[in-house]
C-alpha cells in the first residue's frame, strides 16, 4: 500500500478502538503505575472510544481532516493519565498531516514521530518505561524503516513489532513493573491500538491474546492480593490453576458458561480458551470442586494448587511482625484479655488465668484495634478487658463498644491491680458481676513502682534529677534518689502497714535477681508478718513493680 | 508548622515544607503538568515555574480538625485536557502522600495558575 486516505484511516481507528475495548480489563489488571488503581484500561478505552466516535462522525477522504477529528474526539474524551497522553500523541499526529489529502509511508511514519514530540513536550519529567517510551521507540523504528520502504503496511508492521518489543522492555526501565512482573499498562493499551491499526491495514482479524498474557494477568492479580491483604484476611486460600483439554463425548465447552460456574467458588478468576484447551486460574477454598468442574469438559492436563496463606505469611511475616506477639492462643468462650509489658509479666498473668496478653504498656500502648483483634482471635463470646494502665483504659472502653459480644472493662491501672482482679475472676457468673467483683478486688491492692527519671524536673514537691530512681507509691512520687535500693525500700516502707499480708515483687530487666533477693530479705527482716513472693517480670523501664495486699 | 502523627512508639512531626515537597514532587511527575506556580504570583514576582526548594510557595498544607487538606497551584501544558491533568495530580498526590507518610489526605484542591504553550 503506497498511500493512505481518510476513509481507510477512519477504519483503522475503529479497529484500534475495538481491539483496545476488548482488552481493557486486561490493561486494567496490569495497572501498577503511576497509581495502582486499576483503571488505565478503562480510561484509555473511554478516551479512544470518544476519539473513534468523532472520527466516525466526521470521517472524510481527506486524511488531515479525519486525523483532526480523531484528535478532537480524544481531547474531549481524555480520561486518566494515559488517556491524556493518547490524546497528545494523536494531536501531534493530526497536526503534522492536517493539510494532507493522503499520506505515503514516509508521511505516515513522520506523523507518528510528530505525535511523540508533542506528547513529550507536555511533560516535565518523562518517566521511561511507560506508554511514552513505547510510543517513542516505535515511532523511531517507523521513521527508520520508512526511509527505504514505501509500503505503509510494512512500515506499520515494523512499527508495531517495535512497540511490542519496547513494551516487553518496560519492566527493565521501571522498577515497580519489574517487582510486580508485569509490563506497563499504558504501553500495553497503546500496543492494542497499534495492533488494531495493523490488522485493519492488512484486512486481517484482530490478534487473539496469547498464553503469555495469562501469566501477566496472574502476576498482577497476585501482586494486588499481597499488597492489600493480611494473611488472616485471605478469604480463598488455594491458588488453583488447571488446564483442560476438551474431549469428545464430554460437555461442549462454553467459556462464558464455565466462567459463570466457577465464579461462586472464589475470586481472581481468569479463564482463557481456544478450540482445544482452556486455562483457568482461580483462588478458591475448594480446589477439588474446580478440578471436578474442569473434568466435565475434558481431561485435566495440568494442575497446580498452592496454599496462599502459607505463602503469604512467609512473604509478609518478616516485614510485618505483629506488635502484639501472642504466644499460645487458646479458644476461650469466656476470656480475660489483658495488657502487659515484659515477657515475664505476661507469663505470670497467663499463669493465673489471663487468656490473652497483649504486649504493651507505658511507651507502647495498644490501640483499640489491637484489643478488638485480640478478642476476635480468641473467639470469645464473653470477655473482660483489663488494661493495667491508665492510658489504655479509654482504648479498652472503645473496644468494648466495637465488639458485638458481651464485654466489659475492669479499669485496672497497674499490673498488681490486674493480677488481683484476675485472681477473683469467676467463670460461672456474668460479665457484669465479674466486672463488679474484680473491680472491688483490685481496689484492695496497693501498687508500688520503681522507675527512673528521663529529665530534671520537680513533681509533687520532689526534686528529680535525670537518671535518678523514682519511687512511686500508689502513683505518687515519694522519693527520687540515685540509689535503686533506697527507692525500692522507700516504696516498701510507704506501702506496707499493719493490714498488709502479701507483698509481691516483680523485678524487671534493669535490675538483677541478686538485688531483688536483697530487697526480699529487707522485707522479711522488717516485716516478719508478711509473706513475700518474687517474680522475674522481664519488663523494661520499671526495675520493680510491687504489690501489697 | 508541622503535622503530627502518633503511633505506638511515640510521635512523629513532619514539617509542612516536607509535605509540600512530597506533594509537589509527585505533581510534577504527572503527565501534562509543566510545573508548580506560586500562590501569590504578583507578590512573589514569580511568574516562573517554582523550583524544588520553593515548592512550598505553591503547595499549601492545612490541617483542619484531624483532616489534612492540600492546595496546589500548578501550570498545565497547553492542549491537554486540564480537568484530567488536574484529576491525575489529585490522585497521584493523595497516593504518594499516603504511601510515603502513611497519612490520608482529605482533599487536594487544584488551582490552575497558568497554561504554557510548548516551544515548537
Amino acid at each position: 500500500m503506497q498511500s493512505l486516505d481518510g476513509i481507510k484511516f477512519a477504519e483503522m481507528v475503529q479497529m484500534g478502538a475495538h481491539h483496545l475495548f476488548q482488552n481493557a480489563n486486561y490493561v486494567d489488571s496490569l495497572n501498577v503505575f503511576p497509581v495502582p488503581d486499576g483503571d488505565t484500561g478503562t480510561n484509555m478505552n473511554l478516551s479512544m472510544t470518544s476519539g473513534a466516535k468523532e472520527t466516525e462522525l466526521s470521517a472524510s477522504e481527506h486524511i488531515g481532516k479525519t486525523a483532526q477529528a480523531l484528535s478532537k474526539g480524544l481531547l474531549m474524551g481524555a480520561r486518566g493519565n494515559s488517556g491524556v497522553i493518547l490524546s497528545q500523541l494523536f494531536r501531534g499526529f493530526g497536526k503534522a498531516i492536517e493539510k494532507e489529502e493522503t499520506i505515503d509511508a514516509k508521511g505516515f511514519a513522520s506523523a507518528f514521530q510528530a505525535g511523540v514530540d508533542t506528547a513529550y513536550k507536555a511533560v516535565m519529567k518523562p518517566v521511561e518505561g511507560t506508554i511514552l517510551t513505547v510510543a517513542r521507540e516505535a515511532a523511531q523504528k517507523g521513521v527508520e524503516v520508512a526511509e527505504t520502504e514505501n509500503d505503509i503496511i510494512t512500515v506499520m508492521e515494523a512499527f508495531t513489532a517495535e512497540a511490542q518489543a519496547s513494551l516487553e522492555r518496560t519492566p527493565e526501565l521501571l522498577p515497580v513493573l519489574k517487582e510486580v512482573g508485569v509490563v506497563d499498562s499504558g504501553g500495553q493499551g497503546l500496543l492494542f491500538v497499534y495492533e488494531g491499526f495493523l490488522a485493519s491495514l492488512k484486512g486481517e482479524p484482530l490478534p487473539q491474546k496469547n498464553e503469555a498474557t495469562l501469566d501477566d494477568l496472574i502476576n498482577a492479580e497476585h501482586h494486588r492480593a499481597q499488597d492489600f491483604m493480611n494473611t488472616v484476611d485471605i478469604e480463598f486460600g488455594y491458588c488453583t490453576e488447571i488446564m483442560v483439554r476438551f474431549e469428545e463425548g464430554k460437555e461442549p465447552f462454553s467459556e462464558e458458561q464455565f466462567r459463570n460456574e466457577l465464579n461462586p467458588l472464589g475470586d481472581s478468576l481468569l479463564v482463557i480458551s481456544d478450540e482445544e484447551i482452556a486455562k483457568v486460574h482461580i483462588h478458591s477454598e475448594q480446589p477439588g470442586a474446580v478440578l471436578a468442574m474442569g473434568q466435565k469438559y475434558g481431561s485435566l492436563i495440568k494442575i497446580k494448587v498452592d496454599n496462599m496463606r502459607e505463602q503469604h505469611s512467609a512473604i509478609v511475616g518478616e516485614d510485618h511482625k505483629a506488635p502484639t506477639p501472642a504466644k499460645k492462643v487458646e479458644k476461650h468462650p469466656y476470656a480475660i484479655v489483658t495488657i502487659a509489658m515484659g515477657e515475664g509479666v505476661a507469663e505470670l498473668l497467663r499463669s493465673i488465668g489471663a487468656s490473652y496478653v497483649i504486649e504493651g504498656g507505658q511507651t507502647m500502648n495498644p490501640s483499640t484495634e489491637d484489643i478488638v483483634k485480640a478478642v476476635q482471635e480468641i473467639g470469645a463470646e464473653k470477655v473482660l478487658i483489663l488494661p493495667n494502665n491508665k492510658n489504655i483504659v479509654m482504648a479498652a472502653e472503645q473496644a468494648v463498644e466495637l465488639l458485638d459480644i458481651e464485654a466489659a472493662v475492669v479499669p485496672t491501672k497497674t499490673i498488681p491491680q490486674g493480677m488481683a482482679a484476675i485472681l477473683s475472676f469467676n467463670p460461672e457468673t456474668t460479665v457484669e458481676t465479674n466486672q463488679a467483683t474484680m473491680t472491688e478486688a483490685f481496689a484492695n491492692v496497693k501498687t508500688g513502682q520503681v522507675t527512673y527519671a528521663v529529665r530534671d524536673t520537680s513533681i509533687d514537691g520532689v526534686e528529680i534529677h535525670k537518671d535518678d530512681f523514682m519511687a512511686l507509691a500508689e502513683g505518687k512520687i515519694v522519693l527520687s534518689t540515685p540509689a535503686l535500693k533506697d527507692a525500692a525500700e522507700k516504696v516498701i516502707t510507704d506501702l506496707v502497714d499493719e493490714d498488709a499480708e502479701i507483698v509481691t515483687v516483680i523485678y524487671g530487666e534493669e535490675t538483677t535477681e541478686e538485688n531483688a533477693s536483697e530487697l526480699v530479705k529487707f522485707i522479711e527482716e522488717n516485716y516478719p508478718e508478711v509473706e513475700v513472693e518474687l517474680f522475674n517480670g522481664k519488663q523494661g523501664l520499671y526495675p520493680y513493680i510491687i504489690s501489697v495486699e | 508548622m508541622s503535622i503530627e502523627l502518633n503511633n505506638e512508639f511515640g510521635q512523629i512531626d513532619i514539617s509542612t515544607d516536607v509535605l509540600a515537597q512530597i506533594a509537589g514532587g509527585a505533581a510534577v511527575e504527572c503527565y501534562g503538568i509543566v510545573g508548580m506556580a506560586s500562590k501569590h504570583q504578583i507578590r512573589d514576582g514569580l511568574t516562573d515555574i517554582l523550583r524544588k526548594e520553593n515548592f512550598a510557595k505553591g503547595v499549601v498544607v492545612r490541617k483542619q480538625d484531624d483532616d489534612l487538606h492540600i492546595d496546589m497551584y500548578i501550570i498545565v501544558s497547553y492542549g491537554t485536557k486540564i480537568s484530567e491533568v488536574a484529576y491525575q495530580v489529585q490522585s497521584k498526590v493523595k497516593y504518594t502522600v499516603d504511601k510515603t507518610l502513611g497519612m490520608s489526605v482529605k482533599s487536594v484542591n487544584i488551582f490552575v495558575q497558568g497554561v504554557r504553550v510548548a516551544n515548537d
Side-chain angles (χ1 to χ4, degrees):
Chain A
M1 188 186 284
Q2 302 289 321
S3 84
L4 187 66
D5 67 8
I7 300 297
K8 184 67 200 164
F9 182 65
E11 281 174 31
M12 286 166 66
V13 171
Q14 299 305 324
M15 198 88 148
H18 185 66
H19 194 37
L20 177 61
F21 162 75
Q22 285 192 320
N23 293 291
N25 288 338
Y26 170 61
V27 176
D28 277 347
S29 76
L30 299 177
N31 180 198
V32 291
F33 180 87
V35 177
D37 46 8
D39 63 358
T40 297
T42 311
N43 285 337
M44 284 186 89
N45 174 41
L46 287 168
S47 312
M48 196 62 201
T49 304
S50 163
K53 210 173 196 174
E54 193 68 30
T55 314
E56 198 179 11
L57 287 176
S58 40
S60 139
E61 281 188 18
H62 190 288
I63 192 167
K65 287 190 177 134
T66 305
Q68 286 296 311
L70 171 63
S71 161
K72 184 180 159 208
L74 276 171
L75 177 62
M76 289 191 309
R79 280 269 302 264
N81 211 36
S82 37
V84 175
I85 297 176
L86 199 62
S87 81
Q88 289 294 295
L89 285 170
F90 285 102
R91 192 169 76 96
F93 182 95
K95 195 127 180 123
I97 57 166
E98 72 186 325
K99 297 201 176 69
E100 310 293 330
E101 191 120 3
T102 60
I103 52 174
D104 59 8
K106 255 193 194 70
F108 186 61
S110 60
F112 274 113
Q113 182 60 52
V116 169
D117 293 343
T118 304
Y120 266 85
K121 272 176 198 150
V123 63
M124 220 180 146
K125 282 193 196 165
V127 181
E128 293 298 343
T130 64
I131 178 172
L132 285 168
T133 313
V134 173
R136 178 171 55 80
E137 294 185 338
Q140 250 164 21
K141 187 75 178 178
V143 170
E144 224 175 277
V145 174
E147 272 176 24
T148 54
E149 189 57 65
N150 295 325
D151 183 17
I152 292 177
I153 296 177
T154 313
V155 172
M156 190 72 206
E157 262 175 347
F159 178 83
T160 310
E162 182 59 30
Q164 170 88 53
S166 173
L167 177 68
E168 279 159 19
R169 286 192 296 267
T170 55
E172 298 305 318
L173 295 169
L174 203 52
V176 57
L177 301 176
K178 190 164 190 173
E179 188 185 312
V180 184
V182 295
V183 294
D184 178 63
S185 54
Q188 176 69 73
L190 186 65
L191 179 63
F192 283 131
V193 173
Y194 291 167
E195 281 178 353
F197 285 4
L198 181 63
S200 166
L201 278 172
K202 291 166 113 176
E204 283 176 357
L206 288 165
Q208 291 298 313
K209 269 186 275 187
N210 55 25
E211 279 195 5
T213 61
L214 183 70
D215 294 334
D216 280 347
L217 278 167
I218 292 169
N219 275 338
E221 284 285 351
H222 281 217
H223 177 69
R224 262 191 244 174
Q226 255 160 47
D227 232 20
F228 300 109
M229 268 189 193
N230 289 320
T231 307
V232 288
D233 294 339
I234 296 178
E235 192 182 346
F236 301 105
Y238 299 94
C239 170
T240 312
E241 282 174 46
I242 60 171
M243 212 191 270
V244 185
R245 185 186 290 128
F246 310 134
E247 279 173 355
E248 284 196 27
K250 299 252 183 173
E251 252 182 72
F253 182 78
S254 143
E255 192 178 303
E256 202 186 330
Q257 187 197 333
F258 191 38
R259 202 187 292 269
N260 289 340
E261 285 170 355
L262 287 170
N263 211 22
L265 289 178
D267 62 9
S268 300
L269 173 64
L270 304 165
V271 179
I272 292 179
S273 67
D274 59 15
E275 277 77 55
E276 292 161 25
I277 286 172
K279 281 184 91 170
V280 178
H281 166 266
I282 186 171
H283 296 170
S284 174
E285 272 302 275
Q286 301 138 277
V290 176
L291 302 187
M293 220 161 264
Q295 276 185 308
K296 283 204 304 192
Y297 301 100
S299 59
L300 303 175
I301 52 177
K302 219 172 134 189
I303 301 166
K304 180 180 87 66
V305 180
D306 291 329
N307 184 331
M308 294 192 297
R309 290 190 187 92
E310 290 292 321
Q311 290 175 337
H312 188 266
S313 48
I315 297 167
V316 179
E318 284 305 301
D319 305 346
H320 296 265
K321 277 206 178 125
T324 56
K327 293 231 172 109
K328 294 163 238 157
V329 179
E330 286 167 36
K331 301 268 171 198
H332 290 280
Y334 201 160
I336 298 175
V337 170
T338 187
I339 293 112
M341 190 169 59
E343 258 174 70
V345 178
E347 194 51 52
L348 187 60
L349 291 171
R350 270 193 290 267
S351 73
I352 59 174
S355 335
Y356 194 117
V357 182
I358 301 171
E359 277 218 27
Q362 203 54 32
T363 53
M364 37 183 237
N365 293 340
S367 64
T368 303
E369 197 193 348
D370 292 335
I371 299 171
V372 170
K373 269 196 190 146
V375 174
Q376 284 165 347
E377 201 169 319
I378 330 167
E381 287 150 26
K382 292 192 260 182
V383 67
L384 289 153
I385 305 169
L386 278 56
N388 293 348
N389 186 314
K390 69 174 190 305
N391 297 332
I392 309 173
V393 175
M394 286 272 273
E397 271 161 5
Q398 275 171 353
V400 167
E401 277 175 36
L402 291 175
L403 289 164
D404 47 12
I405 56 167
E406 236 186 290
V409 176
V410 180
T412 54
K413 292 182 182 131
T414 63
I415 298 289
Q417 288 182 350
M419 287 167 62
I422 294 172
L423 288 170
S424 64
F425 169 69
N426 176 2
E428 304 298 320
T429 178
T430 63
V431 165
E432 223 167 74
T433 315
N434 263 319
Q435 186 189 21
T437 52
M438 287 163 82
T439 305
E440 203 176 307
F442 85 72
N444 295 326
V445 179
K446 288 189 275 190
T447 304
Q449 288 154 314
V450 177
T451 184
Y452 52 86
V454 289
R455 61 164 168 261
D456 292 347
T457 181
S458 163
I459 303 173
D460 297 338
V462 181
E463 189 79 18
I464 296 162
H465 301 288
K466 188 172 181 295
D467 297 331
D468 266 5
F469 287 99
M470 297 188 296
L472 288 92
E474 292 283 73
K476 205 168 138 46
I477 298 174
V478 289
L479 182 69
S480 172
T481 159
L484 174 59
K485 186 166 173 281
D486 295 348
E489 289 178 2
K490 173 70 175 166
V491 170
I492 301 291
T493 44
D494 267 39
L495 290 181
V496 179
D497 56 18
E498 293 151 16
D499 299 333
E501 286 168 9
I502 307 170
V503 176
T504 310
V505 176
I506 304 170
Y507 66 96
E509 280 173 341
E510 279 137 40
T511 184
T512 60
E513 199 180 342
E514 280 163 14
N515 286 342
S517 305
E518 266 176 40
L519 184 64
V520 171
K521 216 174 279 169
F522 168 82
I523 300 168
E524 282 168 345
E525 277 165 15
N526 290 282
Y527 306 95
E529 68 282 11
V530 303
E531 210 175 294
V532 188
E533 284 187 59
L534 183 66
F535 292 104
N536 181 1
K538 295 178 187 161
Q539 74 273 17
L541 302 181
Y542 291 87
Y544 292 108
I545 296 173
I546 294 158
S547 86
V548 178
E549 294 162 67
Chain B
M1 193 185 130
S2 65
I3 305 283
E4 271 175 32
L5 279 176
N6 287 300
N7 67 11
E8 73 263 37
F9 303 116
Q11 186 179 322
I12 303 170
D13 282 5
I14 295 164
S15 130
T16 47
D17 270 8
V18 169
L19 257 162
Q21 286 218 3
I22 290 171
V28 298
E29 277 183 7
C30 286
Y31 187 83
I33 182 169
V34 179
M36 303 298 304
S38 169
K39 184 188 175 191
H40 307 286
Q41 284 195 322
I42 299 169
R43 197 190 70 191
D44 289 348
L46 296 164
T47 46
D48 253 345
I49 291 162
L50 291 175
R51 296 162 67 88
K52 202 152 115 203
E53 54 272 20
N54 45 26
F55 272 167
K57 286 196 164 77
V59 182
V60 181
V61 180
R62 287 174 288 131
K63 196 173 182 191
Q64 277 171 3
D65 303 322
D66 268 338
D67 298 327
L68 196 61
H69 301 268
I70 301 179
D71 297 341
M72 313 207 55
Y73 296 81
I74 63 172
I75 295 176
V76 176
S77 171
Y78 177 80
T80 55
K81 188 164 174 179
I82 293 178
S83 59
E84 273 312 305
V85 172
Y87 176 72
Q88 290 311 310
V89 172
Q90 289 175 321
S91 64
K92 174 108 190 209
V93 166
K94 191 172 187 321
Y95 172 75
T96 309
V97 171
D98 188 37
K99 200 170 145 224
T100 45
L101 302 177
M103 299 169 98
S104 83
V105 181
K106 182 83 174 178
S107 68
V108 179
N109 304 304
I110 305 291
F111 298 86
V112 179
Q113 293 286 77
V115 173
R116 179 147 308 196
V117 183
N119 312 323
D120 281 306

